[in-house]
């Protein structure tokens, strides 16, 4: 099983930007493709971005046009560039293996996530 370590979160003002990183060990980010998820207390984890094995990207409507998912294949890292951040983006962000944007399965043990807080 892979180990997933998310980093790059922090506190920013609305309109700001953050770059999140997900370092994967024990597996390849190309095995299943990778997704970024977010969760607030008492709520389900929601998929917000996905990159397939072929490099095709998809986004939830709530982040489309503001977030960009990318990867560094050589170093087994998946990134989430978050721009034009809004208070409703506040959440803990996680990564995990996932076949497609529409698939319901994740493949690895969840990491600790990284906190993103957007406030004035």
């Amino acid at each position: 099983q892979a180990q997933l370590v998310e980093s790059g979160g922090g506190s920013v003002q609305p309109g700001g930007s953050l770059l999140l990183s997900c370092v994967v060990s024990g597996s390849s980010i190309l095995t299943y493709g990778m997704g970024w998820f977010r969760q607030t207390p008492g709520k389900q984890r929601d998929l917000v971005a996905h990159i397939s094995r072929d490099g095709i990207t998809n986004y939830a409507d709530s982040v489309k046009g503001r977030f960009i998912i990318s990867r560094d294949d050589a170093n087994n890292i998946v990134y989430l560039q978050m721009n034009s951040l809004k208070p409703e983006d506040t959440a803990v962000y996680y990564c995990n293996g996932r076949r497609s944007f529409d698939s319901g399965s994740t493949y690895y043990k969840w990491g600790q996530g990284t906190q993103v807080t957007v406030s004035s």
Side-chain angles (χ1 to χ4, degrees), residues 49-108:
H50 182 267
I51 183 165
S52 75
R53 297 174 69 244
D54 297 323
I56 305 300
T57 58
N58 290 99
Y59 302 91
D61 288 343
S62 58
V63 308
K64 193 171 297 181
R66 300 187 297 119
F67 291 9
I68 302 171
I69 186 171
S70 62
R71 67 190 185 209
D72 179 345
D73 295 350
N75 293 296
N76 231 28
I77 304 171
V78 182
Y79 299 101
L80 186 67
Q81 176 66 54
M82 306 188 298
N83 301 313
S84 302
L85 282 162
K86 305 174 180 180
E88 49 263 48
D89 295 320
T90 296
V92 179
Y93 284 73
Y94 302 85
C95 60
N96 213 318
R98 186 177 170 108
R99 285 284 179 86
S100 72
F101 185 86
D102 293 325
S103 70
S105 298
T106 54
Y107 289 90
Y108 308 125

Side-chain angles (χ1 to χ4, degrees), residues 18 38-39 55 82:
L18 285 171
R38 66 187 182 189
Q39 185 177 39
M82 306 188 298

